[in-house]
Amino acid sequence: MRTARPRTGHLSQPGARRQRAERSHARPAHARSGAARRLAGGGRGLLLARVVAAALALIGAWLPATAAHAAGTVTIADRAPQEDGGRWKLKMTINYGGTPHLSHIPMLFSFTPTMHYERALTDQSPEKPILNRIPLQNQQSINESMDVGFSDGSGKVFKITKFDFVLRRDRGFEAGEYELVIKRASDGVQMGQKQKITLKGDNEIMDRRAIVFTGEKKKKKDDKAAGAETEKSDEAEKEPASDAEPASDPAEAEAPSDAELPPDEAPPPVSPKQGGCGCRLSPEEAATPLALPLVALGAAAAIARRRRARRG
């Protein structure tokens, strides 16, 4: 027969867990405070490590962006050129930031209008135009593409070059203020910083004077115009009347009328028309058509008699 063996492990004892709990509570206070300090120090270290990692990530993302948007430098000799024959010339010195891989680099010059210089005639200054500076917002940029050369005649490439850029009115430029941004056309990297330029010149004059209408002056003008029109109409009516009654010819006035003529010299009466072509025939010509049938009948009768005489 098998006999049940008693379990002698520490878990089998009912007071083992209680003793362990008592031992943990029996630790000294300085030991428990050291453990808490270690835990607090580990949390602070972890937090500090996370902050450092985030800062490094931000710096790593910011450095490439700064390098991409500020490659090289661009210097303009005169940022406020004067207009010459409808053109402005910008003299630039471009530093590529290193030796370019090509002798000519395509670049995009973007000019954004920020202020327009308007010349206007006003009620306070009706003769001499005044200058109005009109701020502009959300304007479309004027883009110009140019190939900037960084080499000389021998083909040697340099990192610095001098470049002249000409702006013309027929390309949409007017006197005013602009923001200039230069970028490489290949990758969109900005060359230098954004710059403000001012194009000096005289724009087209705008008439801003008020228009005043007065009723009295207009009425007088209308009366004068109506009087002139009536005079013209009267003159036009008189002229046709004079034309319709021309002066009689002296010869016609002296000529006697039909009643004054003597009876012998009066013209013969004209018979009324009976149709036809409207022409009149003389008496001899009128009788000719009636005589022809009679002659024909007489000739026929004579011929018939001759035949009868021959037969008899």
Side-chain angles (χ1 to χ4, degrees):
M1 294 178 62
R2 292 185 179 180
T3 57
R5 296 181 181 180
R7 298 182 178 179
T8 58
H10 61 278
L11 295 177
S12 62
Q13 298 178 2
R17 295 182 180 178
R18 189 180 302 169
Q19 292 177 1
R20 293 181 62 183
E22 291 177 356
R23 289 176 186 174
S24 61
H25 290 291
R27 292 179 182 176
H30 64 86
R32 292 198 300 271
S33 63
R37 288 172 185 171
R38 286 194 298 272
L39 290 174
R44 290 177 182 175
L46 181 61
L47 179 61
L48 181 61
R50 290 179 178 178
V51 171
V52 171
L56 291 176
L58 290 174
I59 292 172
W62 177 75
L63 286 176
T66 304
H69 290 281
T73 59
V74 178
T75 305
I76 301 177
D78 186 8
R79 294 186 181 181
Q82 184 66 37
E83 182 181 4
D84 183 12
R87 306 193 311 170
W88 296 269
K89 182 180 288 187
L90 299 177
K91 297 181 179 181
M92 305 179 183
T93 301
I94 301 177
N95 186 346
Y96 195 76
T99 304
H101 60 288
L102 296 174
S103 59
H104 289 80
I105 303 298
M107 293 187 182
L108 182 65
F109 297 79
S110 298
F111 298 85
T112 303
T114 58
M115 187 169 295
H116 178 68
Y117 291 171
E118 180 190 71
R119 293 196 307 155
L121 297 174
T122 61
D123 295 336
Q124 293 76 16
S125 180
E127 301 297 334
K128 184 179 180 180
I130 62 175
L131 181 62
N132 295 326
R133 291 179 171 86
I134 303 176
L136 303 176
Q137 295 180 356
N138 302 325
Q139 297 295 313
Q140 186 175 1
S141 301
I142 303 176
N143 299 324
E144 297 286 344
S145 299
M146 297 292 292
D147 292 341
V148 181
F150 287 87
S151 62
D152 56 5
S154 62
K156 186 177 180 181
V157 181
F158 302 91
K159 67 177 184 179
I160 299 175
T161 185
K162 291 185 177 181
F163 182 74
D164 294 343
F165 195 91
V166 179
L167 309 177
R168 301 192 302 270
R169 282 188 178 271
D170 57 2
R171 299 290 295 178
F173 292 95
E174 294 181 342
E177 299 178 7
Y178 297 81
E179 286 185 352
L180 172 61
V181 176
I182 305 175
K183 295 182 180 180
R184 291 199 302 244
S186 59
D187 52 5
V189 175
Q190 180 175 325
M191 299 297 298
Q193 301 297 327
K194 183 186 296 183
Q195 302 191 45
K196 178 182 176 181
I197 63 173
T198 302
L199 303 182
K200 296 181 179 180
D202 296 334
N203 290 329
E204 184 180 356
I205 298 176
M206 305 296 294
D207 193 353
R208 301 295 184 188
R209 294 175 295 180
I211 303 175
V212 180
F213 296 97
T214 56
E216 295 180 358
K217 294 182 179 179
K218 186 176 181 182
K219 187 176 180 181
K220 292 180 180 179
K221 290 182 180 180
D222 294 341
D223 295 339
K224 291 180 180 179
E229 290 179 358
T230 53
E231 291 177 0
K232 290 181 180 179
S233 62
D234 294 340
E235 292 177 358
E237 290 177 357
K238 290 178 180 179
E239 289 179 357
S242 60
D243 294 340
E245 297 178 358
S248 60
D249 193 358
E252 294 179 357
E254 295 177 357
S257 62
D258 295 341
E260 297 177 354
L261 291 175
D264 298 337
E265 297 180 358
V270 179
S271 59
K273 297 181 180 180
Q274 300 297 330
C277 63
C279 57
R280 291 177 300 172
L281 299 176
S282 62
E284 298 177 355
E285 293 177 351
T288 302
L290 297 176
L292 288 175
L294 297 175
V295 172
L297 290 174
I303 294 171
R305 289 176 183 178
R306 288 180 182 181
R307 288 182 179 179
R308 288 176 183 174
R310 290 179 183 178
R311 290 179 183 176

